Amino acid sequence: MFEFEHTVEFKETDLDLLTVGELLVDMISDDYGDSIENGTYRRYFGGSPANIAMNTKRLGIRALAASAVGTDGLGQFLVEQLSRADMDTSCIQLVDEATSLVVVTKSRSTPIPVFYRGADCRLTYTEELRAALLRTKIVHFSSWPLSRQPVRSAVEQMIRDARQHGVLVCFDPNYHPALWDTREDGVKYIQSILPLVDIAKPSEDDAERLFGKDTPENQLQKFLDLGVKLVILTLGKDGALVSNGRETVKLDTLAAQVTDTTGAGDAFWSGFYTALVKGYTVRTALQFGLAVSAYKLQYTGAVVELPALEIFKAKYQI
Amino acid sequence: MFEFEHTVEFKETDLDLLTVGELLVDMISDDYGDSIENGTYRRYFGGSPANIAMNTKRLGIRALAASAVGTDGLGQFLVEQLSRADMDTSCIQLVDEATSLVVVTKSRSTPIPVFYRGADCRLTYTEELRAALLRTKIVHFSSWPLSRQPVRSAVEQMIRDARQHGVLVCFDPNYHPALWDTREDGVKYIQSILPLVDIAKPSEDDAERLFGKDTPENQLQKFLDLGVKLVILTLGKDGALVSNGRETVKLDTLAAQVTDTTGAGDAFWSGFYTALVKGYTVRTALQFGLAVSAYKLQYTGAVVELPALEIFKAKYQI
């Protein structure tokens, strides 16, 4: 049970956060539209769990990203970017499959990404990864590694081990049907995983993809009914609705200026995790999540330079 | 048997060439090297069989490309490019998988492409495709569609039907191990297909990947021994060595200026096919192949604007 006015008790460990999931190249067009001849694209470091690991390191906690990339130039690029950010890359596995890639062609309507799943599906639960799991306070994973084998089995085993060893299990239910094999019911699978999760942070779109259209309050309840202990439903410009099953609080956004929403959810997770680890109460950690998210919204790109967490305290009057 | 001084007898059909295989997006970097942050890439229409179909249409015969693309923006881009070139797109199948993509990051040494096989593997042998096969003179396919299922089964069935109905079977043995599932011996599979092929055009690199290093004469013989009736071994700046099993001829390159070798092999096939269909002898058709290839070598890009075949006659003294 998460009490809003309480801190979360963690064991003394030498790692704070382990993120598991996609590490990939985002290929994003400069121009709008699918018809342009010789359109140009730009190559970016991508993958939400890896972004969260980088963010939290900048905010001031010890984070490690686990993923798999190909033994190709794109995988080399991703590992180099992590190294440049002074991240430990010992849990980035090199596999004999193309580095995962997402192509996004800008569109005047909602851009439809094209997913190329490759290496990221091939993460295995090595002894090294198990050692990392057993020395962390929090394990975070996204929907991507659940969508395909063999990484799904690795994550299922990690969740079991995490629960057994008192590691906080946090999940981003960013379900997208295009990630799933068309022969499997991804929604049903995600619903089967939620009972094992301590904290989930769905967006309204995520909730709608999983449970159909409904009011925010009802969506929140569906996650709680499945056994999630703390549900953070983000509502964009309307802030967030958070419930621990007994109490529901509504939090306003702290964003004054919205330049680019890419990575805003990752920024929220990052502020929230960092504050929890630093011993703030759940309610204050949620405020830090909103603050870091608001900060990120001012800038373009999924990952922006972040100051230490304490800077946000004064800046956003937390 | 192909006699160098004879023409090839074709049935009267309303289609001359059907090409089967990859239709994909080539994402090619502007800059050199894998380490560059925010490196830029350019999106190109790609896929050798589709390029050959476009080329031969420009040279003056009736060509149709068969392939499968995804129902995504990249697939839409490829279909639009074909339409703009006034190509019939009725044999481009739309499938529920990402459009195939190749990422090439320029390198001071040999650039290593990263292959993302998707929709191109999903071509099926529809009634429409069978009808196209039965009304063409020549069917051309590359190694790509042989490397994966279900398209492999479609191509195997097409080869059987082509042989039964007197359609000339031509094959580009552009074998690359990265295209194959690592659990299968691709070389062995290609060798099992060669006995069904009338004309094959390996490069020296292709031959080496299939049979190991050897002299051009020996490589030629290996294809002949497997039952290929006419083997065109291209030797880059040294022209080509061609054999029908009884007679071997050495042809010099016609290239005076080499700006970009991309698509030179496709240009050769295009000139050769167009000349064969137009009733030139095998020897003259080979000359046209070398001429169109020489013309393309002057320009950058896989597909260049080509004049009608007859223009090459005077230009290259054929």
Side-chain angles (χ1 to χ4, degrees):
Chain A
M1 175 54 98
F2 295 91
E3 296 292 349
F4 285 102
E5 310 308 336
H6 289 184
T7 62
V8 173
E9 294 295 315
F10 292 113
K11 282 187 291 189
E12 268 306 311
T13 53
D14 66 356
L15 185 66
D16 299 315
L17 173 67
L18 173 66
T19 70
V20 183
E22 69 278 15
L23 173 59
L24 50 81
V25 168
D26 279 319
M27 202 67 96
I28 300 175
S29 73
D30 288 335
D31 317 300
Y32 285 78
D34 287 315
S35 307
I36 301 151
E37 246 183 294
N38 306 345
T40 59
Y41 288 77
R42 226 165 270 272
R43 172 179 70 184
Y44 294 96
F45 177 95
S48 159
N51 287 341
I52 292 171
M54 291 236 266
N55 281 341
T56 51
K57 187 180 161 68
R58 286 173 174 147
L59 291 168
I61 61 170
R62 296 157 301 182
L64 183 63
S67 194
V69 299
T71 55
D72 49 46
L74 299 177
Q76 186 188 321
F77 163 72
L78 294 172
V79 171
E80 278 183 20
Q81 295 296 311
L82 285 169
S83 296
R84 281 188 200 178
D86 209 20
M87 299 289 294
D88 176 355
T89 61
S90 62
C91 284
I92 307 299
Q93 301 173 11
L94 294 177
V95 300
D96 187 22
E97 193 153 331
T99 298
S100 297
L101 180 81
V102 179
V103 177
V104 182
T105 304
K106 286 185 189 161
S107 162
R108 300 290 172 197
S109 54
T110 310
I112 299 164
V114 191
F115 298 107
Y116 295 93
R117 301 296 298 275
D120 88 272
C121 306
R122 297 277 301 281
L123 185 82
T124 50
Y125 194 31
T126 58
E127 269 310 307
E128 190 149 31
L129 190 47
R130 185 160 194 273
L133 181 72
L134 299 187
R135 66 185 180 88
T136 188
K137 296 178 178 61
I138 305 170
V139 63
H140 168 99
F141 60 99
S142 64
S143 297
W144 282 60
L146 294 176
S147 65
R148 300 288 173 103
Q149 285 293 12
V151 58
R152 176 192 287 180
S153 296
V155 172
E156 288 174 345
Q157 186 60 49
M158 291 180 80
I159 296 172
R160 277 194 290 274
D161 280 0
R163 290 169 61 86
Q164 200 177 331
H165 291 85
V167 176
L168 198 68
V169 175
C170 300
F171 174 49
D172 190 338
N174 56 346
Y175 169 72
H176 194 298
L179 294 177
W180 244 262
D181 190 309
T182 48
R183 287 162 296 188
E184 197 196 18
D185 185 344
V187 168
K188 208 165 152 187
Y189 181 79
I190 294 276
Q191 293 181 359
S192 79
I193 284 294
L194 288 171
L196 308 173
V197 168
D198 293 312
I199 303 178
K201 185 191 71 59
S203 68
E204 278 190 287
D205 283 349
D206 296 332
E208 188 175 330
R209 277 193 281 261
L210 288 169
F211 299 115
K213 232 180 160 56
D214 210 335
T215 63
E217 290 74 12
N218 287 347
Q219 301 290 33
L220 210 57
Q221 195 56 47
K222 290 170 195 169
F223 285 91
L224 292 167
D225 288 347
L226 282 168
V228 182
K229 298 190 190 70
L230 186 73
V231 184
I232 306 163
L233 182 69
T234 59
L235 305 169
K237 62 174 176 37
D238 295 324
L241 202 62
V242 189
S243 181
N244 60 10
R246 287 194 311 154
E247 192 185 350
T248 298
V249 301
K250 171 80 177 61
L251 300 165
D252 290 333
T253 179
L254 299 174
Q257 180 200 344
V258 177
T259 304
D260 176 17
T261 59
T262 318
D266 296 341
F268 181 95
W269 275 121
S270 306
F272 176 68
Y273 286 145
T274 305
L276 278 190
V277 167
K278 285 183 176 274
Y280 291 99
T281 63
V282 171
R283 187 186 291 271
T284 307
L286 290 165
Q287 289 293 336
F288 273 114
L290 289 165
V292 177
S293 176
Y295 181 86
K296 146 58 228 166
L297 285 165
Q298 304 170 88
Y299 302 99
T300 301
V303 182
V304 302
E305 281 299 328
L306 294 172
L309 189 78
E310 289 67 28
I311 305 292
F312 291 86
K313 207 168 171 166
K315 195 173 161 67
Y316 291 92
Q317 286 112 44
I318 298 170
Chain B
M1 175 55 98
F2 295 90
E3 297 291 349
F4 286 101
E5 311 309 335
H6 289 185
T7 61
V8 172
E9 295 294 316
F10 292 112
K11 283 187 290 190
E12 270 305 312
T13 53
D14 64 357
L15 184 66
D16 299 315
L17 173 67
L18 172 67
T19 70
V20 183
E22 68 278 16
L23 172 59
L24 50 80
V25 168
D26 278 320
M27 202 66 96
I28 301 175
S29 74
D30 288 335
D31 318 300
Y32 286 79
D34 287 314
S35 306
I36 300 151
E37 247 184 291
N38 306 346
T40 58
Y41 288 77
R42 224 166 273 272
R43 171 179 70 182
Y44 295 96
F45 177 96
S48 158
N51 287 342
I52 292 171
M54 289 235 265
N55 281 340
T56 51
K57 186 180 164 68
R58 285 171 176 151
L59 290 167
I61 62 171
R62 295 158 300 182
L64 182 63
S67 193
V69 299
T71 53
D72 49 46
L74 298 178
Q76 186 188 324
F77 163 72
L78 294 171
V79 171
E80 278 183 19
Q81 295 296 309
L82 284 169
S83 296
R84 281 187 201 180
D86 209 20
M87 300 288 294
D88 175 356
T89 60
S90 63
C91 283
I92 307 300
Q93 301 173 9
L94 294 178
V95 299
D96 186 23
E97 194 155 328
T99 299
S100 296
L101 180 80
V102 179
V103 177
V104 181
T105 305
K106 285 184 188 163
S107 163
R108 298 291 171 196
S109 55
T110 310
I112 300 164
V114 190
F115 297 107
Y116 295 92
R117 300 296 298 277
D120 88 272
C121 305
R122 297 277 301 280
L123 184 81
T124 50
Y125 193 32
T126 57
E127 269 309 306
E128 189 149 32
L129 189 47
R130 185 160 194 272
L133 181 73
L134 300 187
R135 67 186 179 88
T136 188
K137 297 177 175 62
I138 304 171
V139 62
H140 168 98
F141 61 99
S142 65
S143 297
W144 282 60
L146 293 177
S147 65
R148 300 287 174 102
Q149 285 292 16
V151 58
R152 177 192 285 179
S153 296
V155 172
E156 287 174 345
Q157 186 60 49
M158 290 181 82
I159 296 171
R160 276 195 289 274
D161 279 0
R163 290 169 60 86
Q164 201 178 329
H165 291 86
V167 176
L168 198 68
V169 175
C170 299
F171 174 49
D172 190 337
N174 57 344
Y175 169 72
H176 195 298
L179 294 178
W180 243 263
D181 190 309
T182 49
R183 289 162 295 188
E184 196 196 18
D185 185 344
V187 169
K188 208 166 152 188
Y189 181 79
I190 294 276
Q191 293 181 0
S192 79
I193 285 293
L194 288 170
L196 308 174
V197 168
D198 294 311
I199 303 179
K201 185 191 70 59
S203 68
E204 277 190 288
D205 284 350
D206 296 332
E208 190 177 327
R209 278 194 280 260
L210 288 170
F211 299 115
K213 232 181 158 57
D214 209 334
T215 63
E217 291 73 12
N218 287 346
Q219 301 290 35
L220 210 56
Q221 195 56 49
K222 289 170 195 169
F223 285 91
L224 292 165
D225 288 347
L226 282 169
V228 181
K229 298 190 189 73
L230 186 74
V231 184
I232 306 164
L233 182 69
T234 59
L235 306 169
K237 63 175 175 38
D238 294 324
L241 203 62
V242 189
S243 182
N244 60 10
R246 288 192 315 153
E247 191 184 353
T248 298
V249 301
K250 170 83 177 61
L251 300 165
D252 290 333
T253 178
L254 298 175
Q257 181 202 345
V258 176
T259 303
D260 177 16
T261 59
T262 318
D266 296 342
F268 181 95
W269 275 121
S270 306
F272 176 68
Y273 285 146
T274 305
L276 279 189
V277 167
K278 284 181 177 275
Y280 291 98
T281 65
V282 171
R283 186 186 292 271
T284 307
L286 290 164
Q287 290 294 336
F288 273 114
L290 289 164
V292 177
S293 176
Y295 181 87
K296 144 63 226 162
L297 284 165
Q298 304 171 86
Y299 302 99
T300 300
V303 181
V304 302
E305 281 299 327
L306 294 172
L309 188 78
E310 289 66 29
I311 305 292
F312 291 87
K313 207 166 174 170
K315 193 172 162 69
Y316 291 92
Q317 285 109 47
I318 297 170

